[in-house]
Amino acid sequence: VRRAKAGGWHLELNPDALPRVLTNRHYASDVGARADDKEAKKFMSEQLASANWLIKALDQRANTILKVATEIVTQQDKFLQHGIRFLKPLVLKDIAAAVGMHESTISRVTTAKYIATPRGTLELKFFFTSSINSGSGANDFSSKTVMFYIKELINAEDPKKVYSDDALVKRLKDRNIDVARRTVTKYREEMGIPSSVIRRRQKS
């Protein structure tokens, strides 16, 4: 995905990552002409139809991936422009409703698929995050955005005044992020950041 000259985003699939499947119609016609009974001709016809079905299925799969990725990029436009602070909460259901597909289809399409963006190469699943309430009643925050703020606060903390998880909750509320202490603890541990007791010992 890259910025389009006329504004918005331009998306394209990486052709090197797609299977290349073609039918050799000349070969099929030649072999079919040599078939000397109905069963052989029927077999050839069935095999050609099967090959054509596979090609159409692969083409449909590629179009589905592009359609889903395009909607994700549309929904996460501000993140792509301005960074992690603007990553919005998003679930499979949101994309499924927007593109008219089942959630299970969206899940399959986004599993083990990666997209090269101005923010780095990211798994499509990266864009799906839970929602954290905004204390001001404005737009909710993405859980990944909240994790970013927690890490930012800890990185900037005074070695003599290391933030406890309760203190982090208060600092986040200053940014209109309403989050429970257990959630802060969970996110901190997911990022591999030790407790305030251990950090105080490390920084001293």
Side-chain angles (χ1 to χ4, degrees):
V1 57
R2 62 178 182 273
R3 261 309 202 190
K5 291 181 179 179
W9 301 95
H10 174 74
L11 284 85
E12 61 183 5
L13 293 170
N14 176 8
D16 293 336
L18 299 173
R20 295 177 60 83
V21 181
L22 303 170
T23 54
N24 189 329
R25 295 188 176 278
H26 176 74
Y27 175 75
S29 177
D30 185 48
V31 174
R34 295 169 185 266
D36 53 7
D37 59 60
K38 289 184 178 180
E39 284 299 316
K41 290 182 181 294
K42 181 183 177 183
F43 175 79
M44 279 301 302
S45 177
E46 289 174 347
Q47 297 308 304
L48 185 59
S50 179
N52 287 331
W53 176 87
L54 176 60
I55 290 173
K56 288 180 181 178
L58 289 170
D59 184 59
Q60 183 179 13
R61 176 176 175 268
N63 288 332
T64 299
I65 293 171
L66 193 57
K67 185 176 182 179
V68 170
T70 298
E71 182 59 30
I72 290 173
V73 165
T74 299
Q75 298 255 9
Q76 298 290 7
D77 173 74
K78 287 188 177 179
F79 160 74
L80 292 172
Q81 289 191 66
H82 307 296
I84 192 68
R85 289 179 176 83
F86 295 88
L87 185 68
K88 64 183 284 190
L90 190 66
V91 293
L92 295 172
K93 184 179 179 181
D94 297 331
I95 299 299
V99 300
M101 297 178 185
H102 196 275
E103 283 182 54
S104 61
T105 302
I106 305 302
S107 179
R108 287 196 302 274
V109 165
T110 54
T111 297
K113 306 293 189 309
Y114 292 81
I115 182 168
T117 79
R119 300 291 161 188
T121 299
L122 306 167
E123 188 174 10
L124 285 178
K125 291 284 189 185
F126 167 86
F127 295 96
F128 296 100
T129 66
S130 56
S131 174
I132 300 297
N133 291 335
S134 165
S136 64
N139 292 333
D140 290 343
F141 291 89
S142 157
S143 58
K144 284 189 174 71
T145 300
V146 175
M147 290 173 78
F148 170 81
Y149 283 134
I150 290 171
K151 187 174 182 180
E152 185 179 63
L153 285 166
I154 289 173
N155 287 342
E157 66 190 357
D158 186 335
K160 296 180 181 178
K161 295 181 181 179
V162 173
Y163 294 134
S164 65
D165 289 348
D166 284 320
L168 289 170
V169 168
K170 292 178 182 178
R171 291 289 181 273
L172 290 169
K173 281 187 177 179
D174 291 341
R175 301 188 183 194
N176 293 320
I177 302 173
D178 188 11
V179 60
R181 185 189 61 79
R182 65 178 179 276
T183 303
V184 169
T185 302
K186 175 187 172 185
Y187 288 171
R188 176 178 55 71
E189 290 176 347
E190 283 182 8
M191 292 187 287
I193 298 174
S195 68
S196 58
V197 174
I198 296 175
R199 296 201 312 277
R200 191 176 295 111
R201 189 183 307 135
Q202 290 174 339
K203 293 183 178 184
S204 64

